[in-house]
Amino acid sequence: MARVTAAVLHVLDRTRKTTHCLARRRRARRTAAPVALAARPHPWARALGLTAVVLLGAWLGLLVVGNVRVPVGPMDTTMTLRPSVTGGTKINVSPLGALRLDSHVAPVRLDVNVDQLDPERAQALVDHPERLSGLQDEVADDVARGTLDLAVRSGVAVVSGATALGLAVYRRPRRALGAGGLALALLLASGGTAYATWKPDSVLEPKFSGLLSSAPSLVGDARSIVTEFDVYQKELARLVTNVTKLYDVTSTLPAYQPDPSTIRVLHVSDIHLNPASWKIIASLVEQYEVNVIVDSGDTMDHGSAAENGFLDPIEDLGAPYVWVRGNHDSMETQRYLKGLKNVHVLDDGAARTVAGLRFAGIGDPQFTPDRDHRPGAEASQELAGARLASALSDQRAAGTPVDVAVAHEPSAAREVDGEVPLVLAGHVHHEDTEVMKYGTRLRIEGSTGGSGLRAVEGEYPDPIQASILYFDRSTRHLQAWDEIELGGLGLTTAEVSRHLPKENQPGATPSPSEGSPSPSARPATRTP
């Protein structure tokens, strides 16, 4: 009986211990559960974190490898996809600015950068003009191939970027692959949205920025381009090759071989923001071994601070640069040029000796970038010319006579007749030469920029004109000049014509009225 009682007590004791153990475990679970729940992130937080990883990784991937270099016709371009709230297309044409098209609505924007014109491909079009008729189809095929290549590369970029960032954040391959898959799905959804909202008519209403903001008023209504596209596409193909043609003809211009002591002056004017002019000027400086360049104004178009960077190539043209302000050049332009090395700004009759010649000039008193005609403009030009003539008279009286005077408008230049052997001007966009009443020779230069963007306004494109002036180093008198004319937009002509002053022609007898003003020929009275 005692043994039975002991066994029952032992079983009861084991049961009690087991019950206590189970109770402790239940209490431990109840205590640990809130801790575990607190440590686990909320599903919305996890979703937001994953979204951030996908978007940031995709964006980084596009920045690193998400662009393609695409040859489009004779041009080299770079195409890139960029995240965007509004979508659309942006075409950058450096240094002129950019234009935007509302081509689609999607969280990605297509950026197209026009990098440069390939000389070899452009020259091939020049050598084989029959290829121009197929240029439109060629450009369309190039763009199609570039877009396909960009889509494939962008897909690889976003998947790689999101996967790499997911692996760095989560340290789990499965999570990282999930991030890459979501990035690809996002790109495909964006592409589908862009395709569904694509608006080909957006080209009719581009938004211009930078210097291209002048384009709509210069090229006319875009709708006329669409209605007469067969004409425009031919002109566009000719325009694309024009710069290369200019480079080609300037590289083969005949070089004049005068006496080694001759001073050679390159006269340019009215560049009007044409970037091709710098290449042409540099070529002429090299071909003719130019000692000094004289610019008689209107180098700019609007005279804004945004245009100042256009002037930077002047420092590398290979010759000193003498400049006067035109009516399209602002005082901001003048101050910027004063800060460039090798540039000599003339104004208020101040004289400078450059390359063995003494120059004096005055800036245009009018600033009319919008080409309006203001009351009293002619009188202000004559007054400016009178101030320059007075300064020239003072220089001669001081024993430091000026060899060449410079003004922008011919009406101002005519006021110095009798005070200087030669005066240079521009403004009218065509070349002309005359010997005035009191013996001063007036040399008017055409537009070295082919009138810039204005070249497309008339029925025929304006030619690109410049002159080489040859001076005797001992007497500093003009001996001869070459007029250089290059065909305007779409033309390949190049013409150089030699001219001699009458007093330098064989058998001629020099006279004071032929380009050599006599100090007593001009009345001494001047209007200050």
Side-chain angles (χ1 to χ4, degrees):
M1 183 68 180
R3 290 182 179 178
V4 173
T5 302
V8 170
L9 291 173
H10 177 71
V11 171
L12 290 173
D13 184 57
R14 292 287 301 270
T15 302
R16 182 177 57 80
K17 289 181 179 180
T18 302
T19 302
H20 284 304
C21 183
L22 291 175
R24 283 197 303 271
R25 289 181 181 178
R26 282 196 297 270
R27 285 195 298 271
R29 289 196 193 98
R30 285 196 297 268
T31 304
V35 177
L37 288 174
R40 181 178 298 176
H42 194 279
W44 285 107
R46 286 184 297 182
L48 288 175
L50 181 60
T51 302
V53 168
V54 169
L55 293 178
L56 182 59
W59 179 65
L60 291 175
L62 286 176
L63 284 180
V64 175
V65 294
N67 60 73
V68 294
R69 296 292 301 273
V70 182
V72 178
M75 296 179 295
D76 290 329
T77 67
T78 302
M79 292 185 178
T80 312
L81 285 181
R82 288 286 181 258
S84 171
V85 176
T86 57
T89 300
K90 181 180 180 183
I91 303 174
N92 298 302
V93 187
S94 179
L96 300 179
L99 59 91
R100 294 176 180 269
L101 306 177
D102 293 329
S103 56
H104 62 276
V105 179
V108 288
R109 184 187 72 213
L110 175 62
D111 284 2
V112 181
N113 293 317
V114 179
D115 299 327
Q116 63 181 0
L117 181 72
D118 186 281
E120 294 183 2
R121 299 202 303 273
Q123 187 61 45
L125 289 176
V126 176
D127 297 337
H128 303 282
E130 68 276 3
R131 291 178 55 185
L132 293 178
S133 59
L135 183 61
Q136 179 186 354
D137 295 335
E138 179 184 342
V139 169
D141 292 341
D142 290 340
V143 172
R145 283 195 297 269
T147 305
L148 179 61
D149 189 9
L150 178 62
V152 173
R153 180 167 296 201
S154 298
V156 174
V158 299
V159 170
S160 302
T163 302
L165 187 60
L167 190 60
V169 172
Y170 297 115
R171 301 183 182 276
R172 295 180 183 178
R174 189 173 179 180
R175 281 283 187 89
L177 291 175
L182 287 176
L184 180 60
L186 179 62
L187 180 64
L188 293 176
S190 301
T193 305
Y195 180 80
T197 59
W198 183 257
K199 295 183 293 184
D201 290 343
S202 61
V203 72
L204 299 178
E205 298 177 348
K207 296 180 178 66
F208 297 91
S209 63
L211 301 181
L212 286 178
S213 57
S214 302
S217 61
L218 296 174
V219 303
D221 186 0
R223 295 185 185 277
S224 64
I225 297 179
V226 176
T227 56
E228 299 179 28
F229 188 76
D230 58 330
V231 176
Y232 275 87
Q233 66 97 5
K234 294 177 183 178
E235 294 304 315
L236 180 61
R238 295 170 63 187
L239 171 63
V240 165
T241 60
N242 182 61
V243 174
T244 300
K245 295 176 185 178
L246 294 178
Y247 295 168
D248 181 60
V249 296
T250 53
S251 66
T252 57
L253 285 173
Y256 177 58
Q257 300 295 333
D259 185 273
S261 65
T262 299
I263 301 174
R264 302 166 182 84
V265 176
L266 171 60
H267 183 200
V268 301
S269 189
D270 296 88
I271 291 174
H272 282 294
L273 220 64
N274 186 347
S277 298
W278 301 132
K279 289 288 186 180
I280 295 169
I281 292 172
S283 178
L284 293 173
V285 168
E286 181 180 359
Q287 291 289 326
Y288 286 86
E289 299 179 354
V290 167
N291 301 107
V292 57
I293 305 165
V294 177
D295 185 343
S296 49
D298 274 6
T299 313
M300 309 297 258
D301 208 56
H302 298 89
S304 64
E307 296 173 334
N308 286 342
F310 170 77
L311 301 168
D312 292 344
I314 290 177
E315 295 184 325
D316 302 316
L317 292 177
Y321 201 88
V322 176
W323 182 86
V324 295
R325 186 178 69 252
N327 61 296
H328 283 261
D329 305 316
S330 65
M331 291 302 297
E332 171 70 24
T333 301
Q334 182 163 308
R335 286 190 291 270
Y336 189 84
L337 276 167
K338 284 183 177 180
L340 297 181
K341 66 179 182 182
N342 223 19
V343 175
H344 304 272
V345 175
L346 303 179
D347 200 5
D348 296 325
R352 295 277 189 92
T353 299
V354 184
L357 293 174
R358 192 157 178 81
F359 297 90
I362 193 165
D364 198 302
Q366 298 284 319
F367 178 51
T368 53
D370 50 359
R371 292 179 286 173
D372 60 354
H373 298 281
R374 300 178 182 176
E378 190 69 19
S380 69
Q381 295 295 336
E382 293 174 357
L383 180 59
R387 289 171 54 200
L388 177 58
S390 179
L392 295 174
S393 179
D394 293 342
Q395 288 283 337
R396 188 174 60 197
T400 55
V402 170
D403 304 308
V404 182
V406 191
H408 178 62
E409 295 206 22
S411 56
R414 286 189 172 90
E415 294 298 310
V416 307
D417 187 16
E419 299 293 351
V420 68
L422 176 67
V423 59
L424 304 179
H427 183 65
V428 295
H429 295 191
H430 62 79
E431 290 184 326
D432 195 13
T433 303
E434 65 174 283
V435 177
M436 295 184 288
K437 180 179 179 180
Y438 297 105
T440 295
R441 186 181 302 277
L442 170 60
R443 174 82 185 116
I444 302 174
E445 191 54 76
S447 173
T448 311
S451 300
L453 292 176
R454 292 169 178 78
V456 300
E457 290 183 327
E459 183 178 358
Y460 300 102
D462 293 337
I464 292 174
Q465 296 176 319
S467 299
I468 303 292
L469 313 177
Y470 302 96
F471 291 82
D472 183 275
R473 188 174 292 274
S474 58
T475 65
R476 300 189 300 279
H477 285 169
L478 181 67
Q479 299 297 303
W481 71 91
D482 289 343
E483 293 180 359
I484 300 169
E485 181 172 307
L486 307 177
L489 296 179
L491 303 178
T492 57
T493 58
E495 181 178 326
V496 180
S497 55
R498 170 65 47 77
H499 300 271
L500 296 175
K502 288 184 178 180
E503 67 270 21
N504 288 351
Q505 293 178 3
T509 302
S511 66
S513 62
E514 295 296 340
S516 300
S518 169
S520 59
R522 176 82 184 198
T525 12
R526 288 287 176 201
T527 304

